[in-house]
Amino acid sequence: MALEITDASFEEVVLKSDKPVLVDFWAAWCEPCRMVSPIVDEISGEYAGKAVVGKVDVDANQEFAAKYGVRNIPTVLIFKNGEVVDKQVGAAPKKTYTDKIDANL
């Protein structure tokens, strides 16, 4: 399962990570988000120890969604060394996400 990231934990979990971080910005009412969620959970298991994989519920945690200009969900951001290095807006196949992580390992 992917980590649940909140506004309170975002800096520690994402920005200070020494590994690449995939962050899925989602909401419970969003149908495409529900399609992406199991993919993100799978990736979390496959990349354990190599990358951090987490989810931010934008309804409950708006600070970092706003900071990074997340206007459409799902939006997946890839962070490396505290900086956004890649982005995917809208649902995509699993390979799209894993290629983005692999490019930053």
Side-chain angles (χ1 to χ4, degrees):
M1 289 289 292
L3 285 171
E4 186 175 317
I5 301 171
T6 64
D7 285 343
S9 67
F10 195 94
E11 189 171 333
E12 191 64 38
V13 173
V14 178
L15 302 181
K16 293 182 177 177
S17 177
D18 59 352
K19 297 178 179 77
V21 185
L22 179 148
V23 181
D24 173 22
F25 290 87
W26 70 284
W29 49 264
C30 164
E31 191 59 43
C33 298
R34 288 200 287 266
M35 293 166 32
V36 170
S37 186
I39 295 170
V40 171
D41 286 339
E42 269 182 48
I43 292 169
S44 177
E46 291 170 15
Y47 283 81
K50 295 188 282 186
V52 176
V53 178
K55 300 177 184 183
V56 174
D57 178 344
V58 297
D59 286 337
N61 302 280
Q62 298 175 357
E63 179 184 347
F64 287 95
K67 179 176 179 178
Y68 291 106
V70 174
R71 305 224 187 302
N72 300 304
I73 52 173
T75 291
V76 171
L77 300 180
I78 307 292
F79 288 82
K80 187 171 184 178
N81 301 320
E83 300 291 325
V84 176
V85 293
D86 212 335
K87 178 179 190 172
Q88 172 65 41
V89 178
K94 180 178 175 182
K95 184 168 175 17
T96 301
Y97 304 114
T98 56
D99 284 352
K100 291 178 184 305
I101 296 172
D102 291 341
N104 288 286
L105 285 176

